[in-house]
Amino acid sequence: MAAREGSLEAPTRHPVDWRNPEYYDEAKAFAELERIFDICHGCRRCVSLCGAFPTLFDLVDESKSGEVDGVAKADYWKVVDHCYLCDLCYMTKCPYVPPHEWNLDFPHTMLRAKAIKFRSGGVSRRDSLLAATDVHGKLAGIPVVVQAANAINHTRPARAALEKLMHVDRNAWLPDLATRKFRSGADESQQFAVKDGARTPGKVAVFATCYINYNEPGIGHDLLAVLRHNEIPYELVHKEKCCGMPKLEIGDLESVNRAKEANIPVLAKYAREGYAILSAVPSCTLMFKQELPLMYPDEADVQAVKEAMWDPFEYLAARQRDGLLKTDFSQPLGKVSYHVPCHGRVQNIGRKTEELLKLIPQTSVQTVERCSGHAGTYGVKKHGHEMAMKIGKPLFRKMADHPQGGLPDYISSDCPLGGHHIEQGFERNQLGEPQLAHPLTLLRKAYGLS
């Protein structure tokens, strides 16, 4: 029976067999890479997604045979290094994902290769340090240290030195450290009554995330303000570590495991007590919704956290359908160009942020589903920044051209890092200077909350 073209069923994900010694067998991994690369070479519909696919196709086209068997195995790493695990090829482009018989999972095959590279010592200490968000975060909130670190961030000679030392591109936007951490400055919840809906728990546990806690606490305060306005009682998760996504991106699965061992027992308690767990960074939310459940398919606590984890707008939109969300918006936002980040799309929740923003009177929302190119540490590294800007250029141009005419009043993305990358893309391409605001910030503005 001939193989079918494409798969008619919804894509399914197989568990990541990362504890099996064969997972780290380079010869077997490269055999799978060759099989997958050969299918991708014959299809090529993912060529516009990221740098991995053009790199692969150039290697094939420039080989003596013009086929994958003509590509040197050592050059496979060039493809792997351009994959930042956005998952869009799997979720939006590839017709051969499971349950199709060809069983093609490009991102998780790249993850396997990254894990082999990390275990064999192929990942530099600087890349490991760049992914150690909790280490960086320890500096936040220390006045003199924060001032010095932020000054370095905005000084050209210091950025040139940082580029030489850490391979962080001198032109890439980097976040400042917060003068006060979100977790230490967050207001406690008022004693609201718990109102469960048909779709939503009536109480929330907030997983702060490294980025919100150490870099942009204002986004976390915006979330709490929206919850208070809607009389939803909340708690900050009493103890947390990095979700593990930055370590996953470099194949450091043992560090991912250590983060999981710290976070899951704490979060599982909230899940079992009936809390909705909210995380305001899509990559962190996805880590608990998809990556950890696939790494630990048989652990009940991991699966319980998966079921309790919500994107904030997914939760608020469901709350609105339950008839329990206030829509007393008093401040119009005008023209908004909103970007759906890759790790938001992969959650398969639909356009929930757009759904909420469109409830605001005198607000016109343009939604753009295209990769910004930032992709965590990839977009700030010397080898990835210019490629990240190139990948994002069609998105920048689309967001600059609002359907209501001219520039938008606001540009926005659920991914805070992606939002700043888009803002830099506007500046780099001379597209204008609309105001950047996170969707939670926009919602707080629309409610008229100080």
Side-chain angles (χ1 to χ4, degrees), residues 435-450:
Q435 185 175 345
L436 171 67
H438 191 275
L440 287 168
T441 308
L442 292 178
L443 200 60
R444 181 176 184 167
K445 286 177 180 288
Y447 275 128
L449 304 176
S450 60

Side-chain angles (χ1 to χ4, degrees), residues 156-172:
R156 296 297 295 175
R159 286 298 302 270
L162 186 64
E163 180 179 277
K164 185 175 182 180
L165 179 66
M166 293 291 293
H167 285 197
V168 172
D169 194 291
R170 70 184 69 190
N171 297 313

Side-chain angles (χ1 to χ4, degrees), residues 106-359:
F106 190 93
H108 279 171
T109 307
M110 296 297 104
L111 174 62
R112 182 182 182 184
K114 289 172 185 287
I116 291 170
K117 183 177 182 178
F118 186 88
R119 179 171 280 197
S120 65
V123 175
S124 66
R125 292 185 67 181
R126 62 174 173 263
D127 283 351
S128 293
L129 180 59
L130 199 60
T133 52
D134 279 328
V135 174
H136 312 157
K138 289 179 180 178
L139 303 176
I142 306 173
V144 176
V145 175
V146 167
Q147 291 168 6
N150 291 346
I152 288 171
N153 191 12
H154 298 283
T155 305
R156 296 297 295 175
R159 286 298 302 270
L162 186 64
E163 180 179 277
K164 185 175 182 180
L165 179 66
M166 293 291 293
H167 285 197
V168 172
D169 194 291
R170 70 184 69 190
N171 297 313
W173 177 88
L174 292 179
D176 285 337
L177 289 171
T179 55
R180 188 179 187 189
K181 298 176 186 177
F182 168 66
R183 289 175 64 85
S184 62
D187 293 332
E188 291 187 6
S189 175
Q190 295 170 247
Q191 297 301 309
F192 298 118
V194 175
K195 299 177 182 177
D196 293 327
R199 301 166 182 82
T200 53
K203 56 185 179 181
V204 162
V206 176
F207 184 85
T209 78
C210 298
Y211 186 81
I212 302 300
N213 193 30
Y214 303 138
N215 300 109
E216 283 198 68
I219 295 171
H221 295 306
D222 293 337
L223 172 59
L224 299 189
V226 169
L227 293 174
R228 285 194 299 272
H229 184 69
N230 284 282
E231 300 179 2
I232 300 169
Y234 62 81
E235 288 186 25
L236 262 62
V237 171
H238 76 267
K239 182 181 178 182
E240 68 177 67
K241 282 179 67 71
C242 174
C243 68
M245 181 62 82
K247 294 296 187 179
L248 187 85
E249 290 173 349
I250 62 171
D252 183 1
L253 301 187
E254 291 300 334
S255 288
V256 172
N257 183 64
R258 286 192 289 272
K260 169 260 182 187
E261 291 295 324
N263 285 322
I264 290 297
V266 178
L267 295 177
K269 186 173 185 294
Y270 287 104
R272 298 191 193 285
E273 290 178 358
Y275 284 82
I277 306 171
L278 271 57
S279 155
V281 176
S283 296
C284 306
T285 313
L286 183 69
M287 195 68 188
F288 293 106
K289 278 189 172 187
Q290 173 176 289
E291 301 303 342
L292 290 178
L294 289 172
M295 289 178 68
Y296 305 91
D298 300 321
E299 294 197 17
D301 280 358
V302 174
Q303 302 304 321
V305 172
K306 171 187 174 180
E307 295 304 318
M309 185 65 62
W310 297 72
D311 170 90
F313 280 90
E314 176 193 14
Y315 175 79
L316 295 171
R319 201 77 179 151
Q320 197 269 336
R321 291 196 296 277
D322 279 339
L324 294 170
L325 189 81
K326 295 181 181 179
T327 56
D328 54 337
F329 301 113
S330 60
Q331 300 295 323
L333 299 177
K335 296 180 292 184
V336 178
S337 281
Y338 160 66
H339 164 245
V340 188
C342 302
H343 282 175
R345 294 174 69 183
V346 175
Q347 291 177 43
N348 285 323
I349 59 176
R351 296 178 171 186
K352 301 307 180 190
T353 303
E354 175 195 77
E355 187 177 314
L356 263 290
L357 294 179
K358 283 187 172 180
L359 295 177

